[in-house]
Amino acid sequence: MKLENGHVSERALMFSVFCFMQGTMLRAAFIVAITKNDSWAMAFTGLVFSLLLIVIYVALFRRYPQKNLFEINESIFGPIFGKLISVLYLFFFLSLAALNTHDLGDFVVGHMMPGTPLTAVILLFMLVCVYAIRKGIENLLRLSTVLAIIGVGAVVINSGLILKDVQINFLKPLFQLPLEKYIQGTVTITAIPMGEIVAFAMIVPMLDKNKSAGKALAKGLVLSAIFLAFIMLRDIVTLGPLITIVGLPSYESVRYINVAGVLTRMESIYAIILISLFMFKVGILLYASVLGLAQLLNFKSYPPLIRICGASIFFYALIVFEAVMENVDWGATTAPFFSLTFEFALPTFSLVAAVIKKAVTPQEAEG
Amino acid sequence: MKLLLCFVGFAAIAYSDLPGLIKQKQRREIIMYIMVYLLVLGFAALALFDFKAASPIKMIQTFYRDFLHLSF
């Protein structure tokens, strides 16, 4: 029995991927810390590898049409081993949601409302996410078009207003870092923002035409990579060497805006857009977790699990890190490998298993 | 105070979710729901008592870095 009967258009899916990726802009500092003023190029090298990930996902979707990631796992590995792999994915989605929620809490408390308890910020944020998912994932996905336009508009306007502070010389020296740094940067950007679109494997069966999933995901990813590169370029030419010191480069560069002493503090508007994008991203991750949990427990519908899943993300986000430096250390060292396990290793393993299964029992593999 | 707020929150969650499940007379779903509920409640209690070692991310980091040696 299908748990989700909603539909989503190819365009909404594309913009959803775009918004999902832009919600990670705060975490771009991880990449900047590695590849410094060459970070913009990592958006493109990361894109190449991320498109390879999409090829793997699409191959799975084509073999198991109208099935989400958890259903595919069960079809390939059977009910027991399949559920075991799905539990790991569930943990991954919950962890991503908690990490992003914690990032948002740190951002709000650190930059917008100092002194406010982190618990209060995270609680309010989770309440909004739970409300959004209870109102239906379709509505959230449709919202992506508006959010994307607002996000792009804000960045374009901010970049225009900041032009007088830009110094192209900050881009130099170009590509002078050791090769390992570029590899690390590429792996990090592939795993942390881009590969996280594996969460959309829970949404793809909602597409009207399942075959267009790859196109929608790829288009969304290409747009995101171009936009991410643009933002990184803007931050590099605005902040210069400071970019490696500040915690949130895009937020700090917007703070430079000062038009005749009248148009200032533009970062407040930018922060609101950023929070909306975060809400969108955590909403998608919450939905993936809830739908996955409902499938694992053989529930007839998923709404009864939304609040309790939201509560688990809330408490997980509270204890995930004790200090900001722990978060930075996690992002720069271990997070790419953890993420790639679920974004690359497990899907590849599933695809190989599906191919072998089809070769051995051709009729069953279609199921 | 924290503990009281936590219990009020969890009571509210149960109050909103359980009646629907009970009405549908889905015994298996109710049992499963209660199990998940208690699991999250236990996790919440650990978080409230500042049991920082409960962070799964830290366990993963130790596993990847020290056991699998996968780390930059």
Side-chain angles (χ1 to χ4, degrees):
Chain A
M1 199 184 82
K2 281 298 237 191
L3 282 170
E4 177 63 69
N5 296 313
H7 291 281
V8 61
S9 68
E10 195 183 316
R11 196 184 64 175
L13 186 65
M14 181 187 83
F15 280 120
S16 299
V17 171
F18 180 79
C19 289
F20 187 86
M21 284 275 304
Q22 297 316 309
T24 317
M25 270 193 287
L26 274 184
R27 304 180 95 191
F30 290 160
I31 294 117
V32 173
I34 303 163
T35 44
K36 298 179 172 66
N37 58 327
D38 294 329
S39 299
W40 60 273
M42 298 303 105
F44 297 112
T45 51
L47 174 69
V48 174
F49 288 97
S50 305
L51 289 174
L52 288 177
L53 296 182
I54 290 183
V55 170
I56 297 169
Y57 304 155
V58 171
L60 280 171
F61 299 148
R62 288 219 170 127
R63 278 168 198 278
Y64 299 93
Q66 300 302 321
K67 286 192 175 183
N68 65 34
L69 189 63
F70 282 42
E71 290 168 323
I72 292 173
N73 285 337
E74 275 199 48
S75 298
I76 297 173
F77 300 108
I80 297 168
F81 194 52
K83 274 198 164 67
L84 210 68
I85 290 182
S86 296
V87 168
L88 294 177
Y89 270 110
L90 176 66
F91 173 68
F92 178 60
F93 293 147
L94 287 172
S95 299
L96 283 185
L99 287 166
N100 280 285
T101 306
H102 186 86
D103 279 349
L104 174 108
D106 271 349
F107 168 65
V108 172
V109 172
H111 291 83
M112 293 178 73
M113 297 193 284
T116 312
L118 183 72
T119 315
V121 175
I122 292 179
L123 178 66
L124 279 174
F125 179 71
M126 274 323 294
L127 285 175
V128 175
C129 291
V130 166
Y131 176 80
I133 299 302
R134 278 197 70 82
K135 287 289 168 193
I137 185 76
E138 271 181 303
N139 299 322
L140 189 66
L141 294 175
R142 274 193 220 114
L143 182 73
S144 65
T145 313
V146 181
L147 262 180
I149 292 167
I150 295 173
V152 172
V155 170
V156 170
I157 293 169
N158 287 339
S159 306
L161 293 174
I162 217 167
L163 269 178
K164 66 177 175 61
D165 295 305
V166 160
Q167 285 190 49
I168 301 294
N169 281 341
F170 284 150
L171 280 174
K172 292 177 187 170
L174 274 170
F175 305 117
Q176 297 293 313
L177 294 166
L179 182 66
E180 305 91 73
K181 290 283 177 193
Y182 295 109
I183 295 171
Q184 188 182 347
T186 304
V187 171
T188 305
I189 205 165
T190 305
I192 295 182
M194 294 183 176
E196 286 174 2
I197 59 160
V198 71
F200 282 89
M202 298 302 283
I203 291 166
V204 160
M206 285 171 68
L207 257 181
D208 300 329
K209 289 181 232 157
N210 208 28
K211 278 183 183 168
S212 55
K215 224 161 81 182
L217 292 177
K219 275 184 194 170
L221 207 58
V222 170
L223 277 178
S224 308
I226 293 169
F227 200 59
L228 200 65
F230 174 74
I231 290 171
M232 282 179 171
L233 262 175
R234 182 200 66 186
D235 297 344
I236 293 163
V237 294
T238 310
L239 296 171
L242 272 177
I243 196 164
T244 50
I245 301 165
V246 296
L248 309 168
S250 42
Y251 185 76
E252 295 298 334
S253 59
V254 174
R255 287 177 86 154
Y256 272 64
I257 294 173
N258 187 345
V259 182
V262 179
L263 215 56
T264 57
R265 300 301 307 265
M266 294 292 280
E267 71 271 16
S268 311
I269 298 168
Y270 183 66
I272 292 166
I273 295 165
L274 214 50
I275 291 169
S276 310
L277 290 168
F278 255 103
M279 188 278 290
F280 184 85
K281 186 174 184 182
V282 175
I284 297 282
L285 291 166
L286 173 65
Y287 172 77
S289 311
V290 171
L291 189 67
L293 184 63
Q295 256 154 18
L296 280 171
L297 302 176
N298 290 327
F299 267 54
K300 288 201 172 79
S301 67
Y302 67 86
L305 294 167
I306 296 175
R307 291 188 188 94
I308 200 71
C309 259
S312 69
I313 292 170
F314 167 70
F315 287 104
Y316 194 170
L318 283 182
I319 61 159
V320 70
F321 294 119
E322 281 172 77
V324 178
M325 283 318 289
E326 283 183 357
N327 194 353
V328 174
D329 179 49
W330 160 257
T333 59
T334 325
F337 294 100
F338 171 64
S339 294
L340 282 177
T341 309
F342 298 93
E343 296 159 2
F344 174 69
L346 278 177
T348 309
F349 178 54
S350 299
L351 185 62
V352 171
V355 170
I356 294 169
K357 193 177 176 184
K358 192 177 181 182
V360 179
T361 52
Q363 289 92 351
E364 278 178 38
E366 295 300 320
Chain B
M1 184 63 182
K2 267 185 187 177
L3 206 63
L4 181 73
L5 281 173
C6 176
F7 280 120
V8 169
F10 271 91
I13 291 173
Y15 180 75
S16 357
D17 292 335
L18 273 175
L21 287 172
I22 293 167
K23 245 183 223 170
Q24 290 166 16
K25 291 177 183 167
Q26 296 292 331
R27 233 179 95 187
R28 208 192 58 81
E29 284 192 11
I30 296 168
I31 294 168
M32 287 294 182
Y33 179 86
I34 291 170
M35 280 169 68
V36 174
Y37 185 88
L38 291 175
L39 196 75
V40 179
L41 188 63
F43 187 58
L46 287 179
L48 283 179
F49 287 114
D50 281 336
F51 190 69
K52 301 288 184 190
S55 171
I57 286 294
K58 284 183 191 165
M59 292 179 210
I60 292 163
Q61 194 163 18
T62 311
F63 177 71
Y64 272 77
R65 188 183 279 174
D66 303 334
F67 188 71
L68 297 177
H69 300 289
L70 283 172
S71 164
F72 281 120

PDB file of all heavy atoms in Angstrom, chain A residues 49-77:
ATOM      1  N   PHE A  49      31.014  15.052  -9.921  1.00  0.00           N
ATOM      2  CA  PHE A  49      30.859  13.813  -9.145  1.00  0.00           C
ATOM      3  C   PHE A  49      29.414  13.619  -8.659  1.00  0.00           C
ATOM      4  O   PHE A  49      28.937  12.497  -8.577  1.00  0.00           O
ATOM      5  CB  PHE A  49      31.842  13.809  -7.963  1.00  0.00           C
ATOM      6  CG  PHE A  49      33.258  13.609  -8.423  1.00  0.00           C
ATOM      7  CD1 PHE A  49      34.104  14.687  -8.601  1.00  0.00           C
ATOM      8  CD2 PHE A  49      33.732  12.346  -8.725  1.00  0.00           C
ATOM      9  CE1 PHE A  49      35.402  14.523  -9.051  1.00  0.00           C
ATOM     10  CE2 PHE A  49      35.029  12.161  -9.184  1.00  0.00           C
ATOM     11  CZ  PHE A  49      35.871  13.257  -9.344  1.00  0.00           C
ATOM     12  N   SER A  50      28.765  14.726  -8.375  1.00  0.00           N
ATOM     13  CA  SER A  50      27.364  14.620  -7.920  1.00  0.00           C
ATOM     14  C   SER A  50      26.474  14.125  -9.053  1.00  0.00           C
ATOM     15  O   SER A  50      25.501  13.399  -8.808  1.00  0.00           O
ATOM     16  CB  SER A  50      26.865  15.970  -7.429  1.00  0.00           C
ATOM     17  OG  SER A  50      27.730  16.446  -6.454  1.00  0.00           O
ATOM     18  N   LEU A  51      26.796  14.533 -10.286  1.00  0.00           N
ATOM     19  CA  LEU A  51      26.008  14.044 -11.426  1.00  0.00           C
ATOM     20  C   LEU A  51      26.186  12.528 -11.578  1.00  0.00           C
ATOM     21  O   LEU A  51      25.261  11.821 -11.964  1.00  0.00           O
ATOM     22  CB  LEU A  51      26.394  14.777 -12.714  1.00  0.00           C
ATOM     23  CG  LEU A  51      25.933  16.247 -12.780  1.00  0.00           C
ATOM     24  CD1 LEU A  51      26.481  16.930 -14.024  1.00  0.00           C
ATOM     25  CD2 LEU A  51      24.419  16.377 -12.744  1.00  0.00           C
ATOM     26  N   LEU A  52      27.386  12.056 -11.222  1.00  0.00           N
ATOM     27  CA  LEU A  52      27.613  10.596 -11.241  1.00  0.00           C
ATOM     28  C   LEU A  52      26.716   9.907 -10.208  1.00  0.00           C
ATOM     29  O   LEU A  52      26.190   8.814 -10.465  1.00  0.00           O
ATOM     30  CB  LEU A  52      29.082  10.272 -10.953  1.00  0.00           C
ATOM     31  CG  LEU A  52      30.079  10.592 -12.069  1.00  0.00           C
ATOM     32  CD1 LEU A  52      31.495  10.290 -11.612  1.00  0.00           C
ATOM     33  CD2 LEU A  52      29.766   9.783 -13.330  1.00  0.00           C
ATOM     34  N   LEU A  53      26.556  10.548  -9.068  1.00  0.00           N
ATOM     35  CA  LEU A  53      25.663   9.994  -8.029  1.00  0.00           C
ATOM     36  C   LEU A  53      24.237   9.916  -8.574  1.00  0.00           C
ATOM     37  O   LEU A  53      23.539   8.910  -8.365  1.00  0.00           O
ATOM     38  CB  LEU A  53      25.680  10.856  -6.766  1.00  0.00           C
ATOM     39  CG  LEU A  53      26.982  10.979  -5.970  1.00  0.00           C
ATOM     40  CD1 LEU A  53      26.772  11.839  -4.735  1.00  0.00           C
ATOM     41  CD2 LEU A  53      27.485   9.604  -5.542  1.00  0.00           C
ATOM     42  N   ILE A  54      23.830  10.970  -9.303  1.00  0.00           N
ATOM     43  CA  ILE A  54      22.468  10.983  -9.861  1.00  0.00           C
ATOM     44  C   ILE A  54      22.295   9.847 -10.852  1.00  0.00           C
ATOM     45  O   ILE A  54      21.238   9.218 -10.909  1.00  0.00           O
ATOM     46  CB  ILE A  54      22.153  12.363 -10.487  1.00  0.00           C
ATOM     47  CG1 ILE A  54      22.010  13.395  -9.372  1.00  0.00           C
ATOM     48  CG2 ILE A  54      20.881  12.309 -11.335  1.00  0.00           C
ATOM     49  CD1 ILE A  54      21.625  14.775  -9.812  1.00  0.00           C
ATOM     50  N   VAL A  55      23.350   9.567 -11.622  1.00  0.00           N
ATOM     51  CA  VAL A  55      23.286   8.448 -12.589  1.00  0.00           C
ATOM     52  C   VAL A  55      22.980   7.143 -11.838  1.00  0.00           C
ATOM     53  O   VAL A  55      22.143   6.342 -12.272  1.00  0.00           O
ATOM     54  CB  VAL A  55      24.614   8.341 -13.391  1.00  0.00           C
ATOM     55  CG1 VAL A  55      24.671   7.063 -14.217  1.00  0.00           C
ATOM     56  CG2 VAL A  55      24.780   9.560 -14.288  1.00  0.00           C
ATOM     57  N   ILE A  56      23.633   6.954 -10.694  1.00  0.00           N
ATOM     58  CA  ILE A  56      23.394   5.739  -9.891  1.00  0.00           C
ATOM     59  C   ILE A  56      21.943   5.715  -9.387  1.00  0.00           C
ATOM     60  O   ILE A  56      21.248   4.705  -9.503  1.00  0.00           O
ATOM     61  CB  ILE A  56      24.383   5.665  -8.694  1.00  0.00           C
ATOM     62  CG1 ILE A  56      25.812   5.559  -9.208  1.00  0.00           C
ATOM     63  CG2 ILE A  56      24.058   4.480  -7.779  1.00  0.00           C
ATOM     64  CD1 ILE A  56      26.883   5.750  -8.152  1.00  0.00           C
ATOM     65  N   TYR A  57      21.470   6.857  -8.849  1.00  0.00           N
ATOM     66  CA  TYR A  57      20.102   6.902  -8.315  1.00  0.00           C
ATOM     67  C   TYR A  57      19.086   6.637  -9.428  1.00  0.00           C
ATOM     68  O   TYR A  57      18.122   5.886  -9.231  1.00  0.00           O
ATOM     69  CB  TYR A  57      19.787   8.258  -7.664  1.00  0.00           C
ATOM     70  CG  TYR A  57      20.745   8.689  -6.568  1.00  0.00           C
ATOM     71  CD1 TYR A  57      20.929  10.039  -6.255  1.00  0.00           C
ATOM     72  CD2 TYR A  57      21.482   7.766  -5.831  1.00  0.00           C
ATOM     73  CE1 TYR A  57      21.809  10.444  -5.261  1.00  0.00           C
ATOM     74  CE2 TYR A  57      22.359   8.166  -4.850  1.00  0.00           C
ATOM     75  CZ  TYR A  57      22.526   9.502  -4.568  1.00  0.00           C
ATOM     76  OH  TYR A  57      23.404   9.902  -3.589  1.00  0.00           O
ATOM     77  N   VAL A  58      19.320   7.266 -10.599  1.00  0.00           N
ATOM     78  CA  VAL A  58      18.363   7.114 -11.702  1.00  0.00           C
ATOM     79  C   VAL A  58      18.332   5.659 -12.180  1.00  0.00           C
ATOM     80  O   VAL A  58      17.257   5.132 -12.500  1.00  0.00           O
ATOM     81  CB  VAL A  58      18.701   8.097 -12.851  1.00  0.00           C
ATOM     82  CG1 VAL A  58      17.872   7.805 -14.086  1.00  0.00           C
ATOM     83  CG2 VAL A  58      18.466   9.527 -12.378  1.00  0.00           C
ATOM     84  N   ALA A  59      19.498   5.013 -12.195  1.00  0.00           N
ATOM     85  CA  ALA A  59      19.539   3.606 -12.591  1.00  0.00           C
ATOM     86  C   ALA A  59      18.666   2.773 -11.644  1.00  0.00           C
ATOM     87  O   ALA A  59      17.958   1.849 -12.081  1.00  0.00           O
ATOM     88  CB  ALA A  59      20.976   3.108 -12.582  1.00  0.00           C
ATOM     89  N   LEU A  60      18.696   3.126 -10.367  1.00  0.00           N
ATOM     90  CA  LEU A  60      17.853   2.415  -9.385  1.00  0.00           C
ATOM     91  C   LEU A  60      16.370   2.733  -9.602  1.00  0.00           C
ATOM     92  O   LEU A  60      15.528   1.837  -9.580  1.00  0.00           O
ATOM     93  CB  LEU A  60      18.257   2.797  -7.956  1.00  0.00           C
ATOM     94  CG  LEU A  60      19.485   2.096  -7.380  1.00  0.00           C
ATOM     95  CD1 LEU A  60      19.898   2.735  -6.062  1.00  0.00           C
ATOM     96  CD2 LEU A  60      19.235   0.613  -7.163  1.00  0.00           C
ATOM     97  N   PHE A  61      16.077   4.022  -9.849  1.00  0.00           N
ATOM     98  CA  PHE A  61      14.666   4.421 -10.063  1.00  0.00           C
ATOM     99  C   PHE A  61      14.095   3.726 -11.301  1.00  0.00           C
ATOM    100  O   PHE A  61      12.923   3.368 -11.338  1.00  0.00           O
ATOM    101  CB  PHE A  61      14.526   5.937 -10.251  1.00  0.00           C
ATOM    102  CG  PHE A  61      14.979   6.764  -9.073  1.00  0.00           C
ATOM    103  CD1 PHE A  61      15.542   8.020  -9.264  1.00  0.00           C
ATOM    104  CD2 PHE A  61      14.836   6.301  -7.780  1.00  0.00           C
ATOM    105  CE1 PHE A  61      15.959   8.786  -8.192  1.00  0.00           C
ATOM    106  CE2 PHE A  61      15.253   7.059  -6.693  1.00  0.00           C
ATOM    107  CZ  PHE A  61      15.816   8.308  -6.909  1.00  0.00           C
ATOM    108  N   ARG A  62      14.924   3.576 -12.347  1.00  0.00           N
ATOM    109  CA  ARG A  62      14.438   2.950 -13.583  1.00  0.00           C
ATOM    110  C   ARG A  62      14.150   1.465 -13.366  1.00  0.00           C
ATOM    111  O   ARG A  62      13.233   0.913 -13.948  1.00  0.00           O
ATOM    112  CB  ARG A  62      15.490   3.109 -14.690  1.00  0.00           C
ATOM    113  CG  ARG A  62      15.549   4.547 -15.164  1.00  0.00           C
ATOM    114  CD  ARG A  62      15.739   4.643 -16.650  1.00  0.00           C
ATOM    115  NE  ARG A  62      15.559   6.031 -17.077  1.00  0.00           N
ATOM    116  CZ  ARG A  62      16.428   6.701 -17.782  1.00  0.00           C
ATOM    117  NH1 ARG A  62      17.533   6.103 -18.192  1.00  0.00           N
ATOM    118  NH2 ARG A  62      16.187   7.946 -18.135  1.00  0.00           N
ATOM    119  N   ARG A  63      14.975   0.834 -12.539  1.00  0.00           N
ATOM    120  CA  ARG A  63      14.757  -0.595 -12.270  1.00  0.00           C
ATOM    121  C   ARG A  63      13.553  -0.817 -11.364  1.00  0.00           C
ATOM    122  O   ARG A  63      12.903  -1.849 -11.439  1.00  0.00           O
ATOM    123  CB  ARG A  63      16.012  -1.195 -11.606  1.00  0.00           C
ATOM    124  CG  ARG A  63      17.072  -1.555 -12.610  1.00  0.00           C
ATOM    125  CD  ARG A  63      18.402  -1.862 -11.970  1.00  0.00           C
ATOM    126  NE  ARG A  63      19.427  -1.778 -12.982  1.00  0.00           N
ATOM    127  CZ  ARG A  63      19.712  -2.763 -13.834  1.00  0.00           C
ATOM    128  NH1 ARG A  63      19.069  -3.902 -13.751  1.00  0.00           N
ATOM    129  NH2 ARG A  63      20.644  -2.610 -14.745  1.00  0.00           N
ATOM    130  N   TYR A  64      13.315   0.143 -10.490  1.00  0.00           N
ATOM    131  CA  TYR A  64      12.192   0.006  -9.543  1.00  0.00           C
ATOM    132  C   TYR A  64      11.308   1.248  -9.632  1.00  0.00           C
ATOM    133  O   TYR A  64      11.334   2.097  -8.726  1.00  0.00           O
ATOM    134  CB  TYR A  64      12.722  -0.202  -8.119  1.00  0.00           C
ATOM    135  CG  TYR A  64      13.546  -1.462  -8.005  1.00  0.00           C
ATOM    136  CD1 TYR A  64      14.937  -1.427  -8.157  1.00  0.00           C
ATOM    137  CD2 TYR A  64      12.939  -2.700  -7.799  1.00  0.00           C
ATOM    138  CE1 TYR A  64      15.695  -2.580  -8.091  1.00  0.00           C
ATOM    139  CE2 TYR A  64      13.694  -3.850  -7.728  1.00  0.00           C
ATOM    140  CZ  TYR A  64      15.064  -3.790  -7.886  1.00  0.00           C
ATOM    141  OH  TYR A  64      15.806  -4.926  -7.829  1.00  0.00           O
ATOM    142  N   PRO A  65      10.543   1.382 -10.724  1.00  0.00           N
ATOM    143  CA  PRO A  65       9.731   2.591 -10.884  1.00  0.00           C
ATOM    144  C   PRO A  65       8.649   2.703  -9.816  1.00  0.00           C
ATOM    145  O   PRO A  65       8.156   1.693  -9.310  1.00  0.00           O
ATOM    146  CB  PRO A  65       9.118   2.443 -12.279  1.00  0.00           C
ATOM    147  CG  PRO A  65       9.330   1.035 -12.681  1.00  0.00           C
ATOM    148  CD  PRO A  65      10.401   0.452 -11.836  1.00  0.00           C
ATOM    149  N   GLN A  66       8.308   3.947  -9.490  1.00  0.00           N
ATOM    150  CA  GLN A  66       7.276   4.263  -8.485  1.00  0.00           C
ATOM    151  C   GLN A  66       7.603   3.731  -7.092  1.00  0.00           C
ATOM    152  O   GLN A  66       6.712   3.509  -6.282  1.00  0.00           O
ATOM    153  CB  GLN A  66       5.900   3.747  -8.928  1.00  0.00           C
ATOM    154  CG  GLN A  66       5.401   4.326 -10.236  1.00  0.00           C
ATOM    155  CD  GLN A  66       5.301   5.856 -10.196  1.00  0.00           C
ATOM    156  OE1 GLN A  66       4.899   6.419  -9.187  1.00  0.00           O
ATOM    157  NE2 GLN A  66       5.696   6.524 -11.268  1.00  0.00           N
ATOM    158  N   LYS A  67       8.890   3.493  -6.840  1.00  0.00           N
ATOM    159  CA  LYS A  67       9.277   3.041  -5.491  1.00  0.00           C
ATOM    160  C   LYS A  67      10.268   4.021  -4.903  1.00  0.00           C
ATOM    161  O   LYS A  67      11.142   4.532  -5.615  1.00  0.00           O
ATOM    162  CB  LYS A  67       9.909   1.648  -5.567  1.00  0.00           C
ATOM    163  CG  LYS A  67       8.878   0.564  -5.815  1.00  0.00           C
ATOM    164  CD  LYS A  67       9.450  -0.791  -5.591  1.00  0.00           C
ATOM    165  CE  LYS A  67       8.321  -1.813  -5.736  1.00  0.00           C
ATOM    166  NZ  LYS A  67       8.726  -3.149  -5.470  1.00  0.00           N
ATOM    167  N   ASN A  68      10.142   4.271  -3.603  1.00  0.00           N
ATOM    168  CA  ASN A  68      11.120   5.154  -2.959  1.00  0.00           C
ATOM    169  C   ASN A  68      12.299   4.334  -2.445  1.00  0.00           C
ATOM    170  O   ASN A  68      12.319   3.103  -2.572  1.00  0.00           O
ATOM    171  CB  ASN A  68      10.467   6.004  -1.859  1.00  0.00           C
ATOM    172  CG  ASN A  68       9.946   5.179  -0.710  1.00  0.00           C
ATOM    173  OD1 ASN A  68      10.532   4.161  -0.355  1.00  0.00           O
ATOM    174  ND2 ASN A  68       8.839   5.600  -0.125  1.00  0.00           N
ATOM    175  N   LEU A  69      13.264   5.024  -1.872  1.00  0.00           N
ATOM    176  CA  LEU A  69      14.512   4.385  -1.465  1.00  0.00           C
ATOM    177  C   LEU A  69      14.292   3.175  -0.550  1.00  0.00           C
ATOM    178  O   LEU A  69      14.917   2.126  -0.723  1.00  0.00           O
ATOM    179  CB  LEU A  69      15.378   5.434  -0.758  1.00  0.00           C
ATOM    180  CG  LEU A  69      16.804   5.064  -0.417  1.00  0.00           C
ATOM    181  CD1 LEU A  69      17.621   4.776  -1.665  1.00  0.00           C
ATOM    182  CD2 LEU A  69      17.474   6.175   0.371  1.00  0.00           C
ATOM    183  N   PHE A  70      13.387   3.332   0.423  1.00  0.00           N
ATOM    184  CA  PHE A  70      13.159   2.259   1.396  1.00  0.00           C
ATOM    185  C   PHE A  70      12.489   1.050   0.716  1.00  0.00           C
ATOM    186  O   PHE A  70      12.818  -0.102   1.024  1.00  0.00           O
ATOM    187  CB  PHE A  70      12.300   2.770   2.560  1.00  0.00           C
ATOM    188  CG  PHE A  70      13.082   3.597   3.562  1.00  0.00           C
ATOM    189  CD1 PHE A  70      14.010   4.528   3.144  1.00  0.00           C
ATOM    190  CD2 PHE A  70      12.889   3.446   4.922  1.00  0.00           C
ATOM    191  CE1 PHE A  70      14.735   5.297   4.048  1.00  0.00           C
ATOM    192  CE2 PHE A  70      13.611   4.201   5.849  1.00  0.00           C
ATOM    193  CZ  PHE A  70      14.523   5.138   5.406  1.00  0.00           C
ATOM    194  N   GLU A  71      11.573   1.336  -0.204  1.00  0.00           N
ATOM    195  CA  GLU A  71      10.901   0.241  -0.925  1.00  0.00           C
ATOM    196  C   GLU A  71      11.897  -0.461  -1.853  1.00  0.00           C
ATOM    197  O   GLU A  71      11.854  -1.685  -2.009  1.00  0.00           O
ATOM    198  CB  GLU A  71       9.733   0.803  -1.741  1.00  0.00           C
ATOM    199  CG  GLU A  71       8.573   1.275  -0.872  1.00  0.00           C
ATOM    200  CD  GLU A  71       7.549   2.083  -1.637  1.00  0.00           C
ATOM    201  OE1 GLU A  71       7.946   2.858  -2.528  1.00  0.00           O
ATOM    202  OE2 GLU A  71       6.353   1.955  -1.329  1.00  0.00           O
ATOM    203  N   ILE A  72      12.788   0.327  -2.456  1.00  0.00           N
ATOM    204  CA  ILE A  72      13.817  -0.260  -3.328  1.00  0.00           C
ATOM    205  C   ILE A  72      14.716  -1.193  -2.516  1.00  0.00           C
ATOM    206  O   ILE A  72      15.018  -2.310  -2.945  1.00  0.00           O
ATOM    207  CB  ILE A  72      14.643   0.855  -4.029  1.00  0.00           C
ATOM    208  CG1 ILE A  72      13.763   1.609  -5.036  1.00  0.00           C
ATOM    209  CG2 ILE A  72      15.875   0.279  -4.728  1.00  0.00           C
ATOM    210  CD1 ILE A  72      14.418   2.836  -5.663  1.00  0.00           C
ATOM    211  N   ASN A  73      15.114  -0.734  -1.320  1.00  0.00           N
ATOM    212  CA  ASN A  73      15.962  -1.573  -0.462  1.00  0.00           C
ATOM    213  C   ASN A  73      15.300  -2.916  -0.179  1.00  0.00           C
ATOM    214  O   ASN A  73      15.955  -3.963  -0.224  1.00  0.00           O
ATOM    215  CB  ASN A  73      16.236  -0.863   0.874  1.00  0.00           C
ATOM    216  CG  ASN A  73      17.235   0.256   0.738  1.00  0.00           C
ATOM    217  OD1 ASN A  73      18.036   0.269  -0.206  1.00  0.00           O
ATOM    218  ND2 ASN A  73      17.194   1.209   1.638  1.00  0.00           N
ATOM    219  N   GLU A  74      13.990  -2.852   0.127  1.00  0.00           N
ATOM    220  CA  GLU A  74      13.275  -4.110   0.429  1.00  0.00           C
ATOM    221  C   GLU A  74      13.159  -4.990  -0.801  1.00  0.00           C
ATOM    222  O   GLU A  74      13.229  -6.214  -0.711  1.00  0.00           O
ATOM    223  CB  GLU A  74      11.896  -3.802   1.004  1.00  0.00           C
ATOM    224  CG  GLU A  74      11.956  -3.576   2.498  1.00  0.00           C
ATOM    225  CD  GLU A  74      10.613  -3.717   3.181  1.00  0.00           C
ATOM    226  OE1 GLU A  74       9.915  -4.711   2.927  1.00  0.00           O
ATOM    227  OE2 GLU A  74      10.276  -2.822   3.974  1.00  0.00           O
ATOM    228  N   SER A  75      12.958  -4.367  -1.976  1.00  0.00           N
ATOM    229  CA  SER A  75      12.833  -5.140  -3.214  1.00  0.00           C
ATOM    230  C   SER A  75      14.146  -5.845  -3.554  1.00  0.00           C
ATOM    231  O   SER A  75      14.148  -6.971  -4.035  1.00  0.00           O
ATOM    232  CB  SER A  75      12.453  -4.228  -4.380  1.00  0.00           C
ATOM    233  OG  SER A  75      11.222  -3.639  -4.125  1.00  0.00           O
ATOM    234  N   ILE A  76      15.249  -5.155  -3.292  1.00  0.00           N
ATOM    235  CA  ILE A  76      16.557  -5.743  -3.659  1.00  0.00           C
ATOM    236  C   ILE A  76      17.025  -6.752  -2.619  1.00  0.00           C
ATOM    237  O   ILE A  76      17.419  -7.867  -2.954  1.00  0.00           O
ATOM    238  CB  ILE A  76      17.618  -4.625  -3.837  1.00  0.00           C
ATOM    239  CG1 ILE A  76      17.239  -3.692  -4.985  1.00  0.00           C
ATOM    240  CG2 ILE A  76      19.006  -5.240  -4.100  1.00  0.00           C
ATOM    241  CD1 ILE A  76      18.125  -2.467  -5.130  1.00  0.00           C
ATOM    242  N   PHE A  77      16.982  -6.350  -1.356  1.00  0.00           N
ATOM    243  CA  PHE A  77      17.622  -7.177  -0.315  1.00  0.00           C
ATOM    244  C   PHE A  77      16.648  -8.038   0.500  1.00  0.00           C
ATOM    245  O   PHE A  77      17.076  -8.741   1.406  1.00  0.00           O
ATOM    246  CB  PHE A  77      18.404  -6.279   0.640  1.00  0.00           C
ATOM    247  CG  PHE A  77      19.488  -5.478  -0.033  1.00  0.00           C
ATOM    248  CD1 PHE A  77      19.364  -4.114  -0.213  1.00  0.00           C
ATOM    249  CD2 PHE A  77      20.644  -6.098  -0.515  1.00  0.00           C
ATOM    250  CE1 PHE A  77      20.350  -3.375  -0.837  1.00  0.00           C
ATOM    251  CE2 PHE A  77      21.634  -5.366  -1.131  1.00  0.00           C
ATOM    252  CZ  PHE A  77      21.486  -3.997  -1.309  1.00  0.00           C
TER     253      PHE A  77
END
